[in-house]
Amino acid sequence: MRIVLVGPPGAGKGTQAAFLAKNLSIPHISTGDLFRANISQQTWLGKLAKSYMDAGDLVPDEVTIGMAKDRMEKPDAENGFLLDGFPRNVSQAEALDEMLRSESMKLDAVLDLEVPEEEVVKRIAGRRICRKDSSHVFHLTYSKPKKEGVCDACGGELYQRDDDSEATVRTRLEVYHTQTEPITDYYKAHGLVVTVAAVGTVEDVTTCVMEALKPDEDGK
Ligand code: AMP
């Protein structure tokens, strides 16, 4: 399957993506994670991306599209992938379409995770992520680690992302509304969008997501 996950920052895309990718045996491709890996390795791409990310803005398409394409061309993505955070504007969606068309491939679904805005701000302000594995995500109120600052799953150090401060989150939401939301209309026109209310426990949302991805009775 080839799936795109969309939703505002804090919708739980990363959490759901990690689960879905495992369940469907496809790689989870997160452009945010790819940028963060470049930042920690201090590559030129990481240095360039950091200033945009810290401001809550999108990294320019010229570098983002190439990076996503390189990752999607790796052998493990041959039979499918789950894209998390890409595409994030209509030109990236068009570039993805073009890339898939040239390989005679197509997307199967665009999963749109919906969350009320104030919930997003609360979720992000308390979010803490493991340095060793970014799929290990905690929250200071909703999902506390047993030991403060330490990942329950692997013992890695928990940290707050530089772009998770409240001021940056407001910019990221604004960017989401103006640049990313239009891609849902773009994909709706192709009949690909499946909307899931991403509220309740992680398990509740996962159940709804799996249900939403099941083929209809007529096999679509
Ligand atoms: P995320 O981890 O998906 O929340 O992404 C964190 C940040 O990385 C975003 O706020 C952007 O600055 C940058 N980023 C991630 N994916 C993209 C993309 N597809 N296009 C442009 N910038 C991106």
Side-chain angles (χ1 to χ4, degrees), residues 16 19 196 201-214:
Q16 292 301 327
F19 173 83
V196 171
T201 64
V202 171
E203 293 76 20
D204 289 345
V205 178
T206 303
T207 309
C208 294
V209 165
M210 289 307 285
E211 198 56 39
L213 286 177
K214 273 193 194 155

Side-chain angles (χ1 to χ4, degrees), residues 9 13 30-33 35-36 49 52-54 56-61 64 84-89 92 127 161 163 172:
K13 295 190 294 297
S30 154
T31 39
D33 282 350
F35 283 132
R36 282 183 285 278
Y52 293 94
M53 290 171 78
D54 285 351
D57 289 326
L58 295 188
V59 180
D61 287 349
T64 304
D84 162 10
F86 182 88
R88 239 181 169 98
N89 59 27
Q92 293 181 10
R127 176 159 79 175
R161 275 170 45 174
D163 58 348
R172 287 164 66 201

Side-chain angles (χ1 to χ4, degrees), residues 111-129:
L111 199 59
D112 179 20
L113 299 182
E114 274 190 347
V115 192
E117 189 130 328
E118 281 318 306
E119 176 66 19
V120 159
V121 177
K122 271 193 257 165
R123 282 190 193 182
I124 295 188
R127 176 159 79 175
R128 296 294 181 271
I129 295 170

